Amino acid sequence: MKKIILSGMRPTGKLHLGHLVGALNNWLELQKEYQCFFMVADWHALMSEYKKPSEIGNYTIDNVIDWLSCGIDPKCSVVFIQSQVKQHLELYMMLSCLVPLGWLERCPTYKEQKRELKTKDISNYAFLGYPVLQSADILLYKANYVPVGEDQLPHLEICREIVRRFKSLYKKNVFIEPQALLTKIPKLLGIDGRKMSKSYDNAIALSDSKELIKKKVSRMFTDPKRIKKFDAGHPKQCNLYSYYEVFKPGMTKDVYRWCTKAELGCTECKDKLSQIIIEQLEPVWEKRCYFQSHKDLVMDIFRDGQEKASKFASKTIDEVKEALGNGIL
Ligand code: TRP
């Protein structure tokens, strides 16, 4: 029996290079070895986007087209939409009953987001329960591992605590404590040197056109000390260089020399980089194009995913109800 993995993304925008190197490439490796469930967390998206919910559906489809175009294979991985598998909300409700409010109020991601996300009003009731729904996502499929970034670790810890509390309350081992699979995320900043994020408007989307990619790369910040072409540069202080490390590691030696010996100017270095990114995205675009003109295929994948996920999830719900002594019939 293969070990189980569950992961999800919130459909709140277009996917960008950060998603590719931070999550998708990792998913591609994992699906070879594990039984993977890849979920679009649309309820989680609604928790923060409830004032303007109509885009969530479009992003759901667009993001999954990116997953498929990058190589997520629905024949071996279960690709599904959270809201289409009703058991997520059922387990969410059940778990909500046993989670102490303090766990959620103390959660560092919650405190941080309330502090940082000034543009969104997340003082709503559901947002506090974000980690509980995430726990339901994971526990429904008895996932052994959850690939996440470091920022998600507190949520996973809450999930593990929920498993222990469930066991101590009902003396039944329905769930297993999932483990985080910490993704070693290569450093890939936005074109302005800040964290790559659509809300900073500094991301290169997987679906950007060639021209747009060239334009964005040409605007990237390089070593500020390298003013003239014949000044020696410092690759370690150059955002461009970190892109080479990610997208063409075999070339970094040359790039390092071009820069430190001022053999090549930043403009040429940028031209080469955009070419590299474009080359790597071209096969993705080709598949994107195909899926975009075959949306029915994507819908079939959703239906199939819904079916497979529901089957698994409803078994877990039955076990949960039994553990509650059939208090909930
Ligand atoms: N919270 C995750 C994120 O923002 C998305 C998510 C929802 C998720 N449910 C999940 C991730 C379950 C892993 C497992 O990226």
Side-chain angles (χ1 to χ4, degrees), residues 138-292:
I138 298 165
L139 298 179
L140 266 182
Y141 305 98
K142 308 196 177 194
N144 303 93
Y145 301 106
V146 182
V148 285
E150 206 153 329
D151 60 313
Q152 296 287 308
L153 284 181
H155 295 172
L156 215 64
E157 207 37 61
I158 288 179
C159 181
R160 295 159 59 86
E161 282 187 88
I162 288 176
V163 173
R164 297 195 282 269
R165 187 158 165 82
F166 188 97
K167 203 190 297 182
S168 94
L169 284 172
Y170 310 120
K171 314 285 178 256
K172 287 268 167 38
N173 251 335
V174 175
F175 302 123
I176 31 180
E177 284 186 40
Q179 281 176 35
L181 265 190
L182 260 189
T183 325
K184 250 195 53 221
I185 299 179
K187 189 177 125 210
L188 197 66
L189 298 171
I191 55 172
D192 59 357
R194 293 188 293 168
K195 179 181 179 237
M196 190 180 286
S197 157
K198 69 160 180 14
S199 44
Y200 292 157
D201 199 22
N202 65 358
I204 297 176
L206 297 181
S207 53
D208 278 350
S209 67
K210 256 186 212 176
E211 289 65 37
L212 194 53
I213 290 179
K214 282 185 193 157
K215 200 155 111 198
K216 285 182 175 175
V217 172
S218 75
R219 285 204 205 117
M220 275 173 70
F221 294 179
T222 52
D223 175 9
K225 293 208 191 75
R226 193 171 182 204
I227 299 161
K228 293 193 278 1
K229 182 171 170 180
F230 299 108
D231 294 337
H234 306 82
K236 295 284 172 201
Q237 269 128 56
C238 178
N239 195 17
L240 220 58
Y241 186 72
S242 61
Y243 273 64
Y244 276 103
E245 287 179 317
V246 171
F247 291 104
K248 200 86 174 183
M251 216 167 133
T252 49
K253 252 198 184 137
D254 288 336
V255 180
Y256 195 90
R257 201 190 60 245
W258 296 338
C259 184
T260 51
K261 304 245 189 281
E263 286 176 18
L264 210 71
C266 294
T267 312
E268 291 142 287
C269 198
K270 285 175 173 177
D271 288 345
K272 287 194 195 297
L273 177 67
S274 41
Q275 219 40 55
I276 289 167
I277 296 176
I278 288 166
E279 261 165 42
Q280 295 196 13
L281 288 183
E282 257 162 0
V284 177
W285 292 334
E286 212 172 287
K287 291 195 206 123
R288 254 191 82 86
C289 215
Y290 176 77
F291 285 115
Q292 241 149 4

Side-chain angles (χ1 to χ4, degrees), residues 6-10 39 41 44 130 134 137-138 146 148 152:
L6 179 126
S7 200
M9 281 191 204
R10 289 167 8 110
M39 178 192 81
H44 277 111
Y130 188 112
Q134 186 165 353
D137 299 338
I138 298 165
V146 182
V148 285
Q152 296 287 308

Side-chain angles (χ1 to χ4, degrees), residues 91-100 132 165 169-170:
L91 186 58
Y92 171 51
M93 181 64 218
M94 195 271 123
L95 300 180
S96 296
C97 294
L98 60 82
V99 174
V132 185
R165 187 158 165 82
L169 284 172
Y170 310 120

